[in-house]
């Protein structure tokens, strides 16, 4: 197996083709990682969310990352990490950006169901306010593992 670094273009293309990743944030030296759906555009990742621990933490410490991977098998995989800053797309300051995020995320089937469904199930509140945020990407890194069979093919 050979592991190569991915170029910035390869990292971007991979993020553009993916929709599920792991958001990492931290507070007081405690990491917190959770699955989220997202849409990537160059320099930004857009997310639909509910209020909760992650948004409270990211408001306090906006330094976050998103990890996305595709694992074919033990020796064929790729993994990209986007590190950057949390920015809540609140109104009226970010109305245009919020609508942009909504239009991008709407293209993903049932993009709203996981966060809202989970929260409503737990809290029994049907009028939960959703929010949109983006991660402004500072750095992108990616690793690509190529198995022996794939190399010789
Ligand atoms: C496939 C998939 C896609 C998802 N997509 C989105 C999305 O696009 N946007 C979104 O906002 N949410 C999404 N979720 C749900 C998300 O992972 C969180 O569960 C949810 O957003 C609540 O996070 P919170 O920090 O607000 O939790 P809170 O409700 O504030 O958390 C309370 C406690 O619950 C625990 N907890 C919360 N979430 C999880 C979890 N996933 N697994 C284990 N323990 C947990 C935490 O440890 C915390 O202590 C998705 C989940 C899955 C499985």
């Amino acid at each position: 197996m050979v592991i190569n670094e991915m170029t910035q273009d390869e990292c971007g293309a991979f993020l553009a083709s993916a929709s599920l990743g792991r958001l990492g944030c931290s507070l007081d030296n405690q990491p917190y990682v959770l699955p989220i759906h997202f849409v990537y555009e160059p320099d930004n990742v857009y997310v639909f969310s509910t209020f909760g621990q992650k948004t409270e933490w990211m408001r306090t410490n906006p330094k976050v990352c998103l990890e996305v991977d595709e694992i074919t098998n033990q020796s064929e995989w790729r993994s990209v990490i986007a590190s950057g800053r949390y920015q809540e797309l609140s109104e009226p300051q970010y109305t245009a950006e919020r609508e942009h995020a909504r239009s991008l995320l709407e293209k993903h089937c049932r993009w709203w169901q996981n966060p809202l469904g989970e929260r409503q199930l737990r809290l029994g509140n049907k009028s939960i306010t959703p929010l949109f945020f983006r991660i402004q990407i500072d750095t992108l890194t990616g690793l690509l593992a190529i198995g022996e069979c794939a190399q010789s093919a």
Side-chain angles (χ1 to χ4, degrees), residues 19-146:
S19 62
L20 181 66
R22 274 89 194 163
L23 173 72
C25 57
S26 67
L27 192 66
D28 298 334
N29 296 321
Q30 175 63 57
Y32 184 40
V33 178
L34 69 173
I36 53 154
H37 283 114
F38 68 91
V39 172
Y40 167 82
E41 273 195 340
D43 302 327
N44 289 290
V45 164
Y46 292 92
V47 179
F48 168 78
S49 175
T50 52
F51 289 95
Q53 181 175 318
K54 65 179 177 311
T55 49
E56 282 171 25
W57 285 30
M58 292 188 295
R59 282 173 173 173
T60 308
N61 177 11
K63 289 186 174 179
V64 299
C65 66
L66 179 77
E67 190 274 345
V68 184
D69 54 59
E70 181 181 74
I71 302 166
T72 306
N73 58 48
Q74 206 171 324
S75 58
E76 285 178 54
W77 49 261
R78 50 186 167 166
S79 169
V80 166
I81 299 177
S83 300
R85 288 152 290 123
Y86 170 76
Q87 186 179 56
E88 204 163 300
L89 301 179
S90 47
E91 294 179 293
Q93 191 181 2
Y94 292 107
T95 300
E97 290 84 354
R98 186 183 162 95
E99 284 313 306
H100 182 61
R102 181 194 295 275
S103 72
L104 289 174
L105 286 156
E106 267 174 359
K107 291 172 191 156
H108 286 253
C109 185
R110 294 188 288 184
W111 53 275
W112 69 93
Q113 286 189 351
N114 269 315
L116 277 188
E118 180 267 345
R119 183 55 53 100
Q120 286 168 349
L121 197 68
R122 192 133 46 95
L123 303 180
N125 181 353
K126 298 290 179 194
S127 60
I128 290 158
T129 311
L131 69 83
F132 293 86
F133 68 84
R134 67 181 170 188
I135 299 171
Q136 296 178 300
I137 299 172
D138 293 323
T139 61
L140 263 185
T141 61
L143 294 178
L144 172 69
I146 305 169

